[in-house]
Amino acid sequence: MVALGAGALPDAKAVSPTALADLERAAATSEDVSARTADAEAERASRADRDGLASTLAAAPEVWRLPLENYNFVSPYGMKWDKLHAGIDLAAPEGTTYTAVHAGTVTKAGWFGGYGYCVIVQHADGTESIYGHSSAVLVSEGQEVKAGDQLGRVGATGHAYGSHLHLELHVNGKPIDPIPYLLERDVDIQLQVDDL
């Protein structure tokens, strides 16, 4: 529709002071919204920068990471039922995705006796990480992985009681306690923090 002549528009002198105050408040609110939007966009950009940094750091071969988020530490390395429990157990809901603690090559991805469905990653320094009792394996043998890459899903396959990730580390072919080894590499399994 077209306005019916210039008389249809109010004269600026005829606008009431209350209407002007309302317009000023609306303009101030608009500025606040614009400022908050700019702040939110800056935060998103900052988060993207941090995420990009995390991805870059994870790609570095020396980085070590936690294998899971939001787990319960349920069983340490050591003697259990008169046998060596050669790793640690981290309880999490079945189907929770677990990730590589360090860069390497997948040497086993499938059924592995008492470990059930299992992933083994050989690292450049000769260390091996073993992830047991998976409900699903998401990698294949020969695949190269970086710290933080998805390997499989938590389960209770093989000789397992309840849904958990069994994590072992082998140095020179022998199992070691993962807790102090990872702590030396800025990964605290018990506090659930890593260097990122």
Side-chain angles (χ1 to χ4, degrees):
M1 272 195 146
V2 177
L4 299 172
L9 298 174
D11 183 4
K13 296 179 221 157
V15 175
S16 76
T18 306
L20 285 176
D22 288 344
L23 286 172
E24 287 172 1
R25 275 194 299 278
T29 301
S30 176
E31 287 173 10
D32 287 347
V33 169
S34 295
R36 283 195 303 267
T37 300
D39 289 346
E41 287 173 3
E43 174 59 27
R44 275 194 296 277
S46 174
R47 200 172 325 128
D49 288 346
R50 284 193 305 270
D51 291 347
L53 176 61
S55 296
T56 300
L57 289 175
E62 68 278 1
V63 171
W64 290 77
R65 302 284 309 269
L66 289 167
L68 277 172
E69 293 181 10
N70 302 319
Y71 55 83
N72 291 320
F73 180 86
V74 293
S75 186
Y77 175 92
M79 296 306 289
K80 186 176 186 180
W81 300 307
D82 297 324
K83 292 204 278 188
L84 176 65
H85 181 244
I88 56 175
D89 293 341
L90 309 174
E94 184 161 345
T96 302
T97 301
Y98 64 84
T99 60
V101 295
H102 193 55
T105 304
V106 176
T107 58
K108 179 72 180 171
W111 189 263
F112 196 52
Y115 291 95
Y117 287 105
C118 176
V119 175
I120 300 176
V121 177
Q122 177 82 42
H123 308 294
D125 64 0
T127 305
E128 283 183 315
S129 53
I130 300 169
Y131 309 81
H133 309 309
S134 306
S135 62
V137 171
L138 304 176
V139 290
S140 54
E141 293 177 14
Q143 183 175 337
E144 297 291 323
V145 295
K146 301 183 303 287
D149 282 354
Q150 294 183 359
L151 297 178
R153 299 195 191 286
V154 172
T157 59
H159 300 156
Y161 299 98
S163 179
H164 69 279
L165 174 67
H166 174 81
L167 174 65
E168 284 185 28
L169 291 176
H170 291 195
V171 175
N172 299 322
K174 297 184 189 274
I176 60 160
D177 187 345
I179 292 175
Y181 187 86
L182 290 172
L183 201 51
E184 290 173 4
R185 287 148 182 82
D186 299 323
V187 175
D188 192 324
I189 290 285
Q190 293 171 311
L191 294 180
Q192 300 188 30
V193 294
D194 56 25
D195 63 349
L196 297 175

